[in-house]
Amino acid sequence: MAVDMQVVLGPLKLKNPVMTASGTFGYGREYQRYFDISRLGAVVVKGIAVFASEGNPTPRVAETASGMLNAIGLQGPGVEKFCTHPDYLPFLRSTGAAVIVNIWGRTVEQYAEVAARLNDEPGIAALEINISCPNVKAGGAAFGTDPALAAEVVGAVRRATRLPLIAKLSPNVTDISEFARICSGSGADILSLINTISGMSIDAYTRRPRIANITGGLSGPAVKPVALRMVWQAANAVSTPIIGMGGIMNGTDAAEFMLAGASAVAVGTAIFADPLAPVRVIGELEDFCRETGVEHVAELTRGLRV
Amino acid sequence: MQNGEIIFNTSLGGGYFHISFFAPEIAVKAAPGQFVHVRIADLRDRILRRPFSIEDADPARGSVDVVYKTVGEGTRFLSRCAPGAVCDLMGPLGNGFSPCPGEATPVLVTGGYGVAATRLCAKARPGGILLAGARSREDLLLLDDYRGFGYDVRVATNDGSAGAKGFVTELLKDLLAETPERKFAIRACGPQPMLMALAGMLPDAGYADAELSLDHLMCCGVGACFACVVKVRDGAGGWRYARSCAEGPVFKAGEVYTGE
């Protein structure tokens, strides 16, 4: 039985529902020698801002039980270099992959500016707004945890771009449904969740935090139950299509996210364990559909029996 | 990427182990200073790989060897893996040491188990000088291998239990002072403070092209995640973060940024 793996998320049509999570796949080029990245539903690149940035001091990562903490701090080349340097967007365009550009800024204006700069670049399938970074103008409050700021930044990017717009939600909130509604209402075509969960790791012997930033974002299998719960709550709150992620290691994990309400999924931390994880998940998800009599993978979406 | 069946995994004492994997595709390609990124068999709740410098590679036997110290849960688990167990290896990764030019004498400067990372340099180019530093006598490794490659082995230990008491950087200063007319090709691997001391002194001594294997806590191993960055000069008096896995781990001494 052939399984139809195509999925449609509002304005975004993908050959299969498996993409990479921003920050875990570089700019695609790093993994092209491991597999043809155009096989993915989409490649989501590491966050791009209007400016180049060096990120946080080291150490930037710590391994934790069934997961890891990171505070890389969005090191990146800046949008101009991203658009013009052969290692970045020109390379991605040459592969034929569907490219989703994750964008960030320190002010609402910077978000709008990077979105506007990417508007006329060919070969971009969608923008994903990272609203989990601190807002300089509002004194460091994160866009993704303040309802008014979240609405403002999504609205500003919506006005600046014609591209399909994904809002990536922070899990570090009391009520994810509220943010799902706010971002949908402010012009996001699609929601993606979850970003990493704020956490900490300490070396008792040195009495020091294990990462220089003291706190970092937790990812990997450890966060999967939290991510599933939040995808399910968001799916109950809005009809906006959802990209689910958080600890997906295999095809069954991907199916669970789709059943909870996701129309597509992203593989992130698993790539560090297995560079082939994203393409392996495509195959395993297809196998899962075949085994369970699902002809079109999209039938899984919101298929949870409760 | 390939599966690497463990051929042997033997204790060298002092918490150090020598492990050999059957990984012929990697063995053929491995160059001095490169590393393998190992997913330890059956280590279920620890998902990240561990990077290890390649200590030896034998294309004829198809073996790739690593010397490691048990420093945490991953390496302790690895030390209990028996021959026949299979680990998943990525590699060879990273930019290694460049070949020593014909007219120069290779000088390998090492600290602790950094001595494993330069061993392939000695194998490729016998008849040099090894300056091996260690905390103590039991942290000195592989010295007989280097002697077998015709190396003049000089030792410094922090506690004076073998060789000169003090730091290996002092041995290098002595060597450079004693024969200023000789041309050396310097390659180094060891703890961060040792490498930073070398990066501080070597450019002024006329060895900006000395090669240092630097790294930091590594995650993806291929340049995608930006975890393992080290500070390098940006060419404009400042610094930038370079990914040690993809842009290194070997950097020229003159490239390494030694300021705050």
Side-chain angles (χ1 to χ4, degrees), chain B residues 149-169:
Chain B
F149 297 131
Y151 270 61
D152 169 9
V153 174
R154 307 181 190 183
V155 169
T157 52
N158 299 358
D159 64 2
S161 56
K165 182 173 162 56
F167 291 112
V168 70
T169 43

Side-chain angles (χ1 to χ4, degrees), chain A residues 205-228:
Chain A
Y205 290 95
T206 61
R207 302 192 174 199
R208 288 181 178 279
R210 285 191 199 272
I211 52 179
N213 195 55
I214 303 177
T215 62
L218 182 66
S219 64
V223 310
K224 198 184 91 176
V226 178
L228 279 172

Side-chain angles (χ1 to χ4, degrees), chain A:
Chain A
M1 181 186 92
V3 179
D4 182 354
M5 292 295 279
Q6 262 197 55
V7 290
V8 179
L9 291 80
L12 183 65
K13 192 184 278 185
L14 303 174
K15 67 176 87 169
N16 66 64
V18 181
M19 52 186 83
T20 58
S22 180
T24 62
F25 202 63
Y27 307 94
R29 202 173 74 95
E30 295 81 357
Y31 286 99
Q32 180 73 359
R33 66 172 150 159
Y34 291 95
F35 65 90
D36 173 7
I37 62 172
S38 73
R39 290 169 61 196
L40 296 167
V43 170
V44 184
V45 301
K46 187 166 167 60
I48 296 292
V50 283
F51 44 84
S53 126
E54 286 300 328
N56 287 330
T58 56
R60 290 175 164 186
V61 293
E63 195 175 32
T64 58
S66 295
M68 61 177 288
L69 281 173
N70 89 81
I72 305 291
L74 293 164
Q75 184 173 342
V79 72
E80 209 46 57
K81 191 171 177 185
F82 173 75
C83 290
T84 54
H85 191 284
D87 285 354
Y88 303 101
L89 189 55
F91 163 78
L92 285 162
R93 223 178 261 141
S94 75
T95 66
V99 177
I100 295 173
V101 182
N102 181 285
I103 59 168
W104 69 283
R106 297 195 179 102
T107 62
V108 171
E109 296 75 22
Q110 287 176 348
Y111 275 95
E113 199 183 326
V114 66
R117 173 66 185 83
L118 293 166
N119 225 358
D120 296 320
E121 286 292 332
I124 298 175
L127 299 183
E128 180 181 62
I129 319 177
N130 174 2
I131 54 172
S132 305
C133 38
N135 172 10
V136 178
K137 279 198 181 166
F143 289 100
T145 55
D146 180 314
L149 283 175
E152 200 187 332
V153 74
V154 173
V157 173
R158 176 72 289 168
R159 289 187 291 278
T161 187
R162 293 183 298 272
L163 288 165
L165 191 57
I166 306 164
K168 185 165 184 177
L169 305 187
S170 168
N172 303 309
V173 297
T174 309
D175 180 8
I176 196 77
S177 315
E178 181 190 6
F179 286 85
R181 278 191 290 265
I182 285 167
C183 291
S184 300
S186 308
D189 301 303
I190 302 163
L191 305 176
S192 61
L193 62 154
I194 61 174
N195 208 320
T196 56
I197 302 174
S198 183
M200 235 175 128
S201 178
I202 293 171
D203 181 336
Y205 290 95
T206 61
R207 302 192 174 199
R208 288 181 178 279
R210 285 191 199 272
I211 52 179
N213 195 55
I214 303 177
T215 62
L218 182 66
S219 64
V223 310
K224 198 184 91 176
V226 178
L228 279 172
R229 183 265 293 176
M230 287 192 161
V231 166
W232 182 71
Q233 287 178 330
N236 281 324
V238 294
S239 59
T240 315
I242 292 170
I243 303 165
M245 70 194 82
I248 293 177
M249 298 294 280
N250 55 50
T252 322
D253 291 341
E256 291 172 23
F257 272 89
M258 294 186 73
L259 292 168
S263 300
V265 296
V267 177
T269 301
I271 297 168
F272 301 149
D274 175 10
L276 302 178
V279 272
R280 181 171 48 73
V281 169
I282 298 170
E284 289 171 351
L285 182 58
E286 196 173 348
D287 290 345
F288 173 85
C289 290
R290 204 173 286 116
E291 282 164 28
T292 58
V294 173
E295 289 176 24
H296 185 188
V297 69
E299 292 165 32
L300 292 174
T301 300
R302 298 173 184 258
L304 188 69
R305 294 181 184 139
V306 286

Side-chain angles (χ1 to χ4, degrees), chain B residues 226-252:
Chain B
F226 292 75
C228 64
V229 294
V230 296
K231 282 184 183 176
V232 298
R233 296 183 193 281
D234 66 358
W239 59 270
R240 66 176 183 92
Y241 274 131
R243 298 156 297 169
S244 60
C245 64
E247 297 168 69
V250 173
F251 295 92
K252 299 240 187 283

Side-chain angles (χ1 to χ4, degrees), chain B residues 34-251:
Chain B
Q34 289 192 295
F35 66 94
V36 283
H37 210 19
V38 181
R39 191 172 189 193
I40 299 169
D42 298 322
L43 187 58
R44 296 222 177 269
D45 74 331
R46 300 270 149 176
I47 62 169
L48 298 182
R49 288 168 182 266
R50 269 69 179 162
F52 297 107
S53 294
I54 297 172
E55 183 257 356
D56 196 14
D58 185 338
R61 289 176 54 224
S63 59
V64 174
D65 291 23
V66 158
V67 168
Y68 64 95
K69 187 179 186 181
T70 50
V71 292
E73 214 174 313
T75 43
R76 269 196 297 279
F77 192 94
L78 184 62
S79 72
R80 295 192 292 267
C81 289
V86 175
C87 294
D88 175 8
L89 310 183
M90 286 166 71
L93 296 175
N95 298 307
F97 294 110
S98 54
C100 172
E103 73 282 7
T105 303
V107 174
L108 309 177
V109 187
T110 67
Y113 58 99
V115 74
T118 56
R119 187 180 171 283
L120 279 178
C121 297
K123 192 180 181 183
R125 179 67 192 280
I129 300 167
L130 172 70
L131 308 178
R135 199 170 298 166
S136 186
R137 168 182 287 279
E138 58 267 27
D139 302 302
L140 287 163
L141 304 162
L142 308 175
L143 300 189
D144 284 340
D145 288 14
Y146 282 88
R147 292 189 185 101
F149 297 131
Y151 270 61
D152 169 9
V153 174
R154 307 181 190 183
V155 169
T157 52
N158 299 358
D159 64 2
S161 56
K165 182 173 162 56
F167 291 112
V168 70
T169 43
E170 298 302 319
L171 295 184
L172 181 62
K173 281 181 197 159
D174 293 347
L175 177 70
L176 296 179
E178 120 204 344
T179 51
E181 70 292 349
R182 266 175 97 181
K183 189 162 165 38
F184 297 119
I186 301 171
R187 311 278 183 262
C189 184
Q192 200 81 359
M194 176 197 118
L195 294 168
M196 294 314 282
L198 291 176
M201 67 177 263
L202 284 170
D204 292 339
Y207 285 100
D209 63 344
E211 296 182 352
L212 313 179
S213 177
L214 282 171
D215 70 354
H216 214 296
L217 272 177
M218 206 175 273
C219 190
C220 72
V222 298
C225 75
F226 292 75
C228 64
V229 294
V230 296
K231 282 184 183 176
V232 298
R233 296 183 193 281
D234 66 358
W239 59 270
R240 66 176 183 92
Y241 274 131
R243 298 156 297 169
S244 60
C245 64
E247 297 168 69
V250 173
F251 295 92

